[in-house]
């Protein structure tokens, strides 16, 4: 299996992943779930542990795992005693060995590079490739293209979570719009709500004139939000500080959370109703959609305010479109699909004639034809496929190994 599971945040992807992982356990093998951040890995560990209800051991492996606990965990993975593990990039380190890895689940698939995902696949026993289930709320264009080519089967969870409300989205610029945005946030806080302010950098940079989270935090708490409770969170903070800031916000002990995109995934605060994003042009469509998804989770109407050029096609798209699947198609139109046999994740693929997405119907017909050829002759060894095999090997330097999803 090489399958992409697409669904909005909260639509049930984790439950589907657990079902797949338990199939591996039933057959005496191992399964691993890899998430892009410690925050998200910890959340998955908690959720899966609750769902399993203590009937199976389930461990967490991240960069913060203590040396003693890590040694014990690695020993149990290598011996096969531990069948279920959740982790971050720590799972692909050389020291991590599995006795029989049969399934890998990759969450927020777009946050990992092609080689990182391939490195986890390589943890299976020699000569074997594990089943792989990739999960995402916003498939990147390369993934969309791979799906069209048939290298990934696709399953879509289209149902939205119960109670999810649409989020009003505005792209604004200028001092007047900024003053109104802060006023609107103060109105929401006065009504008992909370808000996020997201900045693209942790520290100021002369090369990138963007509002840094640390500087913006100091500015906002002494000016616009001097009468409100303001917290700061970014990826370079120690884990305990990050957890404390997040806990304070989740409990309603903070009104404003100034953050970098570390809050893009794994954060669920139903009382938060405003998402303000600085320098929105620095983010991709999938990131903007994920960040917007942090609000609109409760019973109150919510809004997303993006500071950037309203004429930028990417920002126009996020303002006018709420469907993550449609946004992925727009992203494909704007950025191109990347290499289908390769590792680039953006830019137009090197076709001589075809154009995507206009030629999607032709693409599907070509994929069906390719499927029929590979079904009859998987390694292209028949005489009539000799030239085709030579062309593939000459162009991609491959001996027809599976393509990493």
């Amino acid at each position: 299996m090489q399958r992409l599971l697409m669904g909005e945040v909260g639509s049930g992807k984790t439950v589907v992943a657990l079902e797949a992982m338990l199939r591996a356990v039933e057959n005496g093998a191992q399964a691993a779930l890899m998430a892009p951040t410690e925050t998200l890995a910890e959340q998955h560990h908690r959720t899966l542990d609750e769902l399993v209800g203590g009937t199976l051991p389930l461990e967490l492996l991240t960069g913060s795992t203590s040396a003693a606990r890590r040694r014990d965990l690695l020993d149990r993975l290598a011996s096969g005693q531990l069948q279920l593990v959740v982790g971050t990039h720590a799972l692909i380190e050389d020291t991590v060995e599995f006795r029989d890895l049969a399934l890998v689940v990759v969450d927020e698939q777009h946050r990992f590079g092609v080689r990182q995902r391939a490195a986890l696949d390589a943890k299976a026993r020699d000569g074997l490739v594990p089943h792989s289930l990739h999960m995402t709320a916003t498939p990147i264009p390369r993934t969309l293209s791979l799906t069209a080519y048939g290298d990934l089967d696709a399953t879509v969870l289209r149902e939205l979570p119960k109670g999810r409300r649409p989020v009003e989205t505005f792209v604004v610029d200028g001092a007047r719009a900024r003053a109104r945005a802060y006023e609107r946030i103060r109105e929401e806080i006065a009504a008992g709500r909370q808000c996020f302010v997201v900045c693209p950098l942790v520290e100021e940079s002369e090369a990138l004139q963007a509002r840094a989270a640390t500087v913006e935090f100091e500015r906002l708490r002494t000016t616009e939000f001097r009468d409100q409770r303001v917290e700061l969170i970014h990826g370079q903070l120690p884990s305990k500080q990050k957890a404390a800031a997040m806990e304070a916000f989740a409990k309603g002990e903070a009104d404003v959370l100034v953050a970098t995109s570390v809050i893009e995934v794994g954060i669920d605060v139903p009382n938060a109703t405003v998402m303000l994003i600085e320098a929105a042009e620095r983010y991709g469509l999938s990131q903007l959609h994920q960040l917007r998804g942090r609000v609109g989770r409760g019973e109150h109407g919510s809004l997303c305010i993006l500071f950037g050029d309203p004429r930028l096609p990417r920002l126009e798209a996020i303002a006018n479109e709420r469907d993550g699947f449609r946004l992925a198609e727009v992203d494909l139109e704007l950025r191109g699909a990347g290499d289908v046999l390769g590792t680039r994740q953006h830019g137009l693929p090197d076709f001589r004639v075809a154009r995507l997405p206009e030629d999607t119907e032709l693409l599907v017909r070509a994929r069906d034809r390719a499927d029929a050829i590979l079904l009859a002759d998987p390694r292209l060894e028949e005489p009539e496929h000799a030239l085709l095999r030579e062309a593939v090997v000459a162009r991609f330097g491959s001996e027809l190994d599976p393509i990493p999803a």
Side-chain angles (χ1 to χ4, degrees):
M1 175 178 74
Q2 285 201 116
R3 182 168 293 277
L4 177 68
L5 177 63
M6 297 182 278
E8 294 287 357
V9 176
S11 59
K13 296 189 297 293
T14 306
V15 176
V16 175
L18 178 60
E19 284 285 350
M21 293 169 81
L22 292 177
R23 299 291 80 77
V25 172
E26 281 179 352
N27 287 279
Q30 294 168 296
L33 187 153
M34 183 166 71
T37 66
E38 279 194 19
T39 304
L40 189 54
E42 287 164 4
Q43 178 181 304
H44 273 305
H45 182 252
R46 276 196 306 274
T47 303
L48 292 175
D49 214 21
E50 287 170 13
L51 289 169
V52 170
T55 55
L56 285 169
L58 173 70
E59 295 289 357
L60 176 68
L61 178 63
T62 71
S64 301
T65 305
S66 67
R69 187 173 180 81
R70 183 185 176 84
R71 276 194 302 273
D72 174 63
L73 196 155
L74 294 185
D75 286 346
R76 290 162 62 205
L77 276 180
S79 68
Q81 184 186 348
L82 177 62
Q83 290 180 279
L84 295 176
V85 64
V86 177
T88 56
H89 301 76
L91 287 171
I92 62 176
E93 292 174 3
D94 292 341
T95 52
V96 181
E97 294 180 6
F98 293 84
R99 184 182 63 81
D100 187 9
L101 180 62
L103 170 74
V104 298
V105 179
V106 181
D107 193 25
E108 298 304 333
Q109 186 256 15
H110 66 283
R111 296 281 296 271
F112 292 98
V114 174
R115 298 195 188 285
Q116 288 173 320
R117 300 196 295 265
L120 187 56
D121 286 348
K123 297 289 183 183
R125 286 190 294 178
D126 289 347
L128 296 176
V129 178
H131 296 288
S132 57
L133 178 67
H134 299 261
M135 305 193 295
T136 186
T138 46
I140 56 170
R142 180 176 184 277
T143 305
L144 203 64
S145 180
L146 278 169
T147 303
Y149 272 85
D151 299 309
L152 279 173
D153 296 314
T155 297
V156 178
L157 286 170
R158 285 222 173 257
E159 295 82 3
L160 279 175
K162 189 178 179 182
R164 183 64 56 88
R165 297 170 64 97
V167 179
E168 284 190 281
T169 305
F170 304 95
V171 182
V172 298
D173 204 6
R176 187 176 173 186
R178 183 172 289 280
R180 175 61 187 132
Y182 291 142
E183 183 184 348
R184 184 77 177 81
I185 288 172
R186 287 192 292 269
E187 289 169 5
E188 286 290 309
I189 293 171
R193 317 284 171 254
Q194 295 164 277
C195 91
F196 296 99
V197 175
V198 176
C199 306
L201 295 174
V202 175
E203 299 293 344
E204 283 287 10
S205 162
E206 288 183 7
L208 300 170
Q209 295 300 318
R211 291 174 182 271
T214 44
V215 174
E216 190 69 348
F217 167 69
E218 295 295 342
R219 186 184 77 80
L220 289 174
R221 73 174 182 166
T222 56
T223 55
E224 301 292 349
F225 301 134
R226 58 183 170 274
D227 298 325
Q228 282 79 35
R229 301 165 297 174
V230 186
E231 285 283 352
L232 170 69
I233 184 171
H234 58 71
Q236 293 180 18
L237 283 175
S239 293
K240 283 187 179 178
Q241 268 184 264
K242 273 192 289 191
M246 201 57 249
E247 191 176 345
F249 191 68
K251 285 182 175 179
E253 295 167 3
D255 303 308
V256 179
L257 184 65
V258 180
T260 56
S261 58
V262 69
I263 59 123
E264 179 187 341
V265 291
I267 307 300
D268 186 9
V269 182
N271 194 46
T273 56
V274 184
M275 169 62 69
L276 186 152
I277 303 174
E278 296 285 0
E281 67 279 356
R282 296 189 181 278
Y283 296 94
L285 260 178
S286 66
Q287 270 191 309
L288 291 173
H289 182 59
Q290 285 278 25
L291 287 167
R292 177 170 62 182
R294 299 306 107 200
V295 294
R297 291 164 165 259
E299 58 190 71
H300 311 288
S302 299
L303 72 152
C304 178
I305 304 166
L306 301 105
F307 282 102
D309 184 352
R311 296 164 299 179
L312 195 67
R314 192 164 68 251
L315 299 187
E316 274 185 19
I318 195 77
N320 297 324
E321 186 59 66
R322 294 189 177 98
D323 185 337
F325 302 104
R326 174 64 193 133
L327 282 172
E329 291 171 10
V330 172
D331 211 4
L332 177 63
E333 292 165 14
L334 293 175
R335 292 204 300 161
D339 287 340
V340 173
L341 293 183
T343 56
R344 273 194 313 143
Q345 299 213 31
H346 60 83
L348 289 171
D350 187 19
F351 292 127
R352 292 183 183 178
V353 178
R355 293 182 61 185
L356 290 178
E358 296 95 319
D359 291 324
T360 299
E361 185 184 343
L362 182 62
L363 175 72
V364 171
R365 286 169 57 195
R367 181 195 64 187
D368 291 344
R369 178 72 183 126
D371 280 347
I373 291 172
L374 289 173
L375 195 62
D377 182 16
R379 299 197 61 81
L380 302 178
E381 291 167 337
E382 295 297 327
E384 62 267 32
H385 298 146
L387 292 178
L388 179 58
R389 182 186 175 90
E390 282 178 22
V392 170
V393 173
R395 181 167 182 183
F396 303 110
S398 162
E399 273 302 311
L400 307 183
D401 290 330
I403 302 162

